[in-house]
Amino acid sequence: MRLLIPERSSLSSPYVFRLAGILILTMLCGFGGRLQAEDWKAKIESAKSGETVTLPTGTFKMSEVQIPSGVTITGSGDRESIIDAAGAQRGLVMKDVAGASLRNLRITNASVANLAVEGSRDITISGVALDKSLTGLLVVNSTGVRVENSILADNRTGASFSKSGKVAIVNNLLHDNASLGLSLVDVSESAVFNNITANSATGIYLAGQQDSVQVDHNAYFVNFIGSIPGDIFSGSVIEAWRSTSGGRDRHSMAAEMAVEVAESGLPKGPTTPKTWAPGEASTAGMGVAEFGGFRAPEKDSAGRPWHRGTDLGPRAATLAKPSRAADGTFAVGADAGLTSAAVYDQRGRQVVTLFQNLPLPAGNYDYWLPARGDSGKEIAAGEYVVKLIQSNLSSRYIGVMGKYLEDNKLSSQFGFSDVLGLFDGENRPYLVKGWSEALAPVRAYSKDLSAIR
């Protein structure tokens, strides 16, 4: 039996042994070899302000890692550099620090929070995935926290902010967070925009002092768009949420949305196209470059440019181009409000609805007609006219009509799904509902909703 050992110049290189015709590979992690997880934890915690610690590709089982002030922790990507905090309450921690950054990696499996930020300021979280925890991101008593181009998925709550200010939550994907996408309690001077929240019971929760929190230009595919104190749920109707939330999400959209999930288990982005532009995802070009005093990232999490303007979510949504040229072009003249469009024949009859109440930015748009119109009949060749309507209406929340209680106080309310609202000749409201235990599906109210008639 012969043992062949090739020449090697370093003990840290792979040794190749050929024994009895069997090839065996071994790796010695000696001088110059890769660091173990505990070594990376020590390296991160001992880093000095201004230094960058770069995690290579791989999975590192470590937890309760304390990030120092002024230090940047970066990886090779949220699918390449993975910190597994299984068995621990927290993955990475920023406590009483300033100017720290976290970029391009994934933190998963912590029992309480994958990333905890407390008493800190000027924190940047970019291109990070936080998944499979009670709370993906937990921020308390902090200021100047910016979360961009990140994924918060498969948690109970995607991200929770409390007693914090000057927060920017922009171009993120909050997906499959079972209970809640985003919670903001006693948050001030902050903005939430260009985000996608999908497959959660509730999209966003606002409580406490939050008058200076601006929320708009987002997309929701959830059971309830949002919630405010008093258990007021607006259901899946975004128009009602705009009213109950004080005018937030006026240029946001609520629509069915399919999200592609990679083999790593992380969501990649929406794959549902615009019905009238099948080469674009429904969220492509629907964002804004600036909102509430904060700017959106100039590129997506992979360093690619956005589409028209800015997309929603962390990744530029790319779909296959249509096999034929566009059927026509229309122009949206103003950013404010919502736009609806339909196609009419030469006799003025509506043939097909292109879209309704979309917050399209100003600009020129190509469109493609479907094979069949609203009636189900094929659309014949010929000349047609596209008509657009823009509206910028708003409403003011007064109270809830749909309840079977004795008063109209917020503390006595509960969420409901109304069926039909009516007004009589004196503008007194009626509410028609389905069956209830009170056996009173029709209720009439005074004009100010203070009494049941």
Side-chain angles (χ1 to χ4, degrees):
M1 182 179 297
R2 293 174 52 190
L3 177 63
L4 302 179
I5 304 179
E7 294 183 0
R8 291 292 177 185
S9 59
S10 171
L11 291 178
S12 64
S13 301
Y15 274 85
V16 181
F17 299 94
R18 190 176 302 274
L19 181 59
I22 301 176
L23 184 65
I24 303 174
L25 300 179
T26 62
M27 174 70 79
L28 299 181
C29 296
F31 304 102
R34 293 182 56 163
L35 297 176
Q36 300 300 312
E38 58 269 20
D39 299 320
W40 281 110
K41 179 176 181 179
K43 186 177 180 66
I44 291 171
E45 293 184 336
S46 63
K48 304 300 182 184
S49 179
E51 292 183 351
T52 297
V53 179
T54 302
L55 282 174
T57 298
T59 299
F60 305 89
K61 188 170 179 56
M62 54 182 171
S63 58
E64 300 293 341
V65 183
Q66 305 288 331
I67 301 177
S69 291
V71 171
T72 295
I73 311 299
T74 187
S76 302
D78 59 19
R79 288 159 176 79
E80 287 77 29
S81 300
I82 303 169
I83 295 176
D84 187 351
Q89 291 189 343
R90 302 178 298 181
L92 269 59
V93 179
M94 298 180 181
K95 181 174 174 59
D96 300 328
V97 302
S101 298
L102 192 64
R103 302 177 182 273
N104 305 323
L105 52 81
R106 176 183 182 182
I107 311 172
T108 185
N109 289 327
S111 63
V112 175
N114 285 316
L115 176 60
V117 180
E118 181 180 357
S120 299
R121 58 182 174 86
D122 301 330
I123 304 299
T124 300
I125 302 162
S126 179
V128 174
L130 304 168
D131 69 312
K132 299 180 181 178
S133 181
L134 183 66
T135 304
L137 171 63
L138 181 61
V139 179
V140 181
N141 287 325
S142 298
T143 183
V145 177
R146 179 181 176 88
V147 186
E148 65 176 23
N149 283 350
S150 293
I151 295 173
L152 301 101
D154 203 16
N155 307 289
R156 181 173 181 180
T157 297
S160 175
F161 291 77
S162 63
K163 298 180 181 179
S164 298
K166 298 181 179 179
V167 169
I169 304 168
V170 50
N171 282 101
N172 302 291
L173 173 58
L174 299 95
H175 182 261
D176 269 346
N177 297 295
S179 177
L180 178 61
L182 175 64
S183 174
L184 302 174
V185 179
D186 288 322
V187 173
S188 61
E189 300 179 76
S190 300
V192 180
F193 63 108
N194 294 356
N195 302 290
I196 299 172
T197 303
N199 295 0
S200 293
T202 304
I204 182 171
Y205 175 72
L206 301 174
Q209 177 61 39
Q210 35 79 26
D211 292 340
S212 57
V213 175
Q214 300 187 56
V215 182
D216 206 350
H217 306 284
N218 301 295
Y220 298 95
F221 179 41
V222 294
N223 294 338
F224 297 97
I225 303 297
S227 175
I228 58 178
D231 292 330
I232 304 298
F233 286 94
S234 61
S236 58
V237 183
I238 196 168
E239 291 82 3
W241 166 245
R242 291 169 182 151
S243 174
T244 58
S245 66
R248 295 181 174 89
D249 280 316
R250 289 193 63 185
H251 303 92
S252 296
M253 53 188 285
E256 292 187 13
M257 190 183 311
V259 176
E260 181 181 2
V261 178
E263 292 183 3
S264 64
L266 290 177
K268 297 175 65 176
T271 58
T272 303
K274 295 183 174 74
T275 56
W276 49 276
E280 294 185 5
S282 59
T283 54
M286 301 299 288
V288 292
E290 185 174 358
F291 177 70
F294 300 91
R295 291 196 61 82
E298 295 182 356
K299 296 182 179 180
D300 76 354
S301 59
R304 301 172 299 187
W306 301 112
H307 290 91
R308 175 202 309 268
T310 305
D311 290 1
L312 304 184
R315 292 175 180 262
T318 56
L319 301 181
K321 298 297 182 184
S323 58
R324 59 184 176 87
D327 292 312
T329 301
F330 63 85
V332 175
D335 291 325
L338 306 173
T339 303
S340 300
V343 177
Y344 295 79
D345 63 18
Q346 294 298 312
R347 298 176 59 182
R349 296 175 301 186
Q350 182 172 321
V351 177
V352 63
T353 301
L354 290 181
F355 54 83
Q356 290 182 313
N357 294 330
L358 281 185
L360 291 178
N364 297 318
Y365 295 84
D366 294 332
Y367 68 88
W368 283 256
L369 293 177
R372 298 181 181 274
D374 292 342
S375 66
K377 297 180 180 180
E378 291 188 6
I379 299 177
E383 293 186 1
Y384 298 90
V385 177
V386 177
K387 295 183 180 181
L388 272 71
I389 297 177
Q390 285 190 279
S391 64
N392 193 21
L393 301 176
S394 61
S395 58
R396 181 173 59 89
Y397 174 74
I398 298 175
V400 173
M401 294 165 54
K403 65 184 185 65
Y404 298 109
L405 302 173
E406 296 302 321
D407 60 64
N408 198 46
K409 298 178 181 179
L410 287 178
S411 59
S412 301
Q413 310 289 336
F414 61 88
F416 74 101
S417 177
D418 60 295
V419 176
L420 180 64
L422 302 172
F423 292 86
D424 64 14
E426 298 181 15
N427 287 328
R428 293 174 299 187
Y430 291 75
L431 187 77
V432 182
K433 294 176 62 69
W435 178 89
S436 78
E437 294 179 355
L439 300 178
V442 179
R443 281 288 175 90
Y445 295 82
S446 61
K447 288 184 180 181
D448 62 359
L449 304 180
S450 63
I452 298 174
R453 296 189 291 115

